[in-house]
């Protein structure tokens, strides 16, 4: 929940996108300069349509993850054919392995040629539902043994927060 709703996370990115974007200047962080704004400025938020809004939230989370990685323990021995250019490396069962959400979020093998594009409706089947391949919330879609217990609550909070915005009254826009 903190990853979605904290001060430099998804809720902030979504709100800043809606209210005109972040000013990127000399005092901005490298992260702010390198991260694409999701949704992009000018995106037509589907207020009132929770199914589409859920896809917007998930796509924003895919492209600008609130949490960058997770760790799991290998259930059995595994090997990598070319580990950092040093040849084959074996890893014993129980070895901790870091899984990068960022790398999988931009993998064209999963997301196709539009892997780096903000396309919540084009990526709908990969983002949500029984065949989802999005690996946020420590699971893959609705599957996984370590799925985040706060996923449902975080999504409900985000949906309510975004739907509470009056799209016709942009009083905070510059």
């Amino acid at each position: 929940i903190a990853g979605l709703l904290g001060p430099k996370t998804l809720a902030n990115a979504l709100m800043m996108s809606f209210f005109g974007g972040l000013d990127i200047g000399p005092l901005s962080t490298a992260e702010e300069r390198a991260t694409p704004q999701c949704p992009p400025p000018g995106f037509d938020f589907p207020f009132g349509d929770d199914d589409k809004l859920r896809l917007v939230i998930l796509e924003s989370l895919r492209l600008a993850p609130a949490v960058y990685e997770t760790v799991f323990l290998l259930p059995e021995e595994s090997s990598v054919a070319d580990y950092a250019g040093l040849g084959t490396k074996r890893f014993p069962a129980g070895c901790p392995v870091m899984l990068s959400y960022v790398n999988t979020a931009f993998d064209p093998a999963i997301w196709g040629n539009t892997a780096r594009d903000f396309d919540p409706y084009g990526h709908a089947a990969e983002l949500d539902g029984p065949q989802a391949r999005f690996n946020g919330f420590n699971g893959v879609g609705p599957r996984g043994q370590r799925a985040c217990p706060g996923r449902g609550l975080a999504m409900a909070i985000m949906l309510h927060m975004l739907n509470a915005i009056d799209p016709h009254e942009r009083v905070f826009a510059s």
Side-chain angles (χ1 to χ4, degrees):
I1 293 172
L4 288 179
L5 303 176
K8 290 191 65 157
T9 54
L10 184 62
N12 186 50
L14 286 166
M15 298 305 290
M16 292 305 289
S17 175
F18 179 74
F19 290 116
L22 292 168
D23 290 326
I24 303 299
L27 298 178
S28 62
T29 66
E31 176 187 5
E32 289 167 339
R33 291 190 299 271
T35 303
Q37 197 165 343
C38 299
F43 177 76
D44 186 18
F45 282 82
F47 295 112
D49 185 334
D50 284 359
D51 292 333
K52 286 186 176 179
L53 205 50
R54 178 178 284 104
L55 293 174
V56 169
I57 292 167
L58 291 171
E59 181 75 339
S60 299
L61 189 56
R62 178 182 77 84
L63 293 173
V67 177
Y68 298 121
E69 73 271 334
T70 190
V71 176
F72 84 110
L73 301 178
L74 283 176
E76 58 190 40
E77 182 180 295
S78 187
S79 65
V80 176
D82 186 16
Y83 180 75
L86 301 173
T88 301
K89 171 76 175 166
R90 296 193 181 286
F91 297 92
C95 180
V97 175
M98 185 184 82
L99 302 175
S100 170
Y101 291 148
V102 176
N103 289 346
T104 59
F106 292 106
D107 188 344
I110 297 170
W111 304 99
N113 293 334
T114 60
R116 294 188 174 273
D117 298 340
F118 180 81
D119 186 8
Y121 314 126
H123 295 148
E126 290 83 18
L127 289 169
D128 201 20
Q131 300 303 314
R133 300 180 74 185
F134 172 61
N135 68 347
F137 297 102
N138 276 340
V140 178
R143 301 170 304 282
Q145 295 177 348
R146 279 190 62 209
C148 174
R151 177 187 171 132
L153 178 59
M155 288 298 292
I157 290 170
M158 292 293 299
L159 285 168
H160 287 296
M161 181 187 78
L162 290 170
N163 277 320
I165 296 171
D166 180 350
H168 303 292
E169 191 172 322
R170 296 174 65 139
V171 295
F172 297 108
S174 53

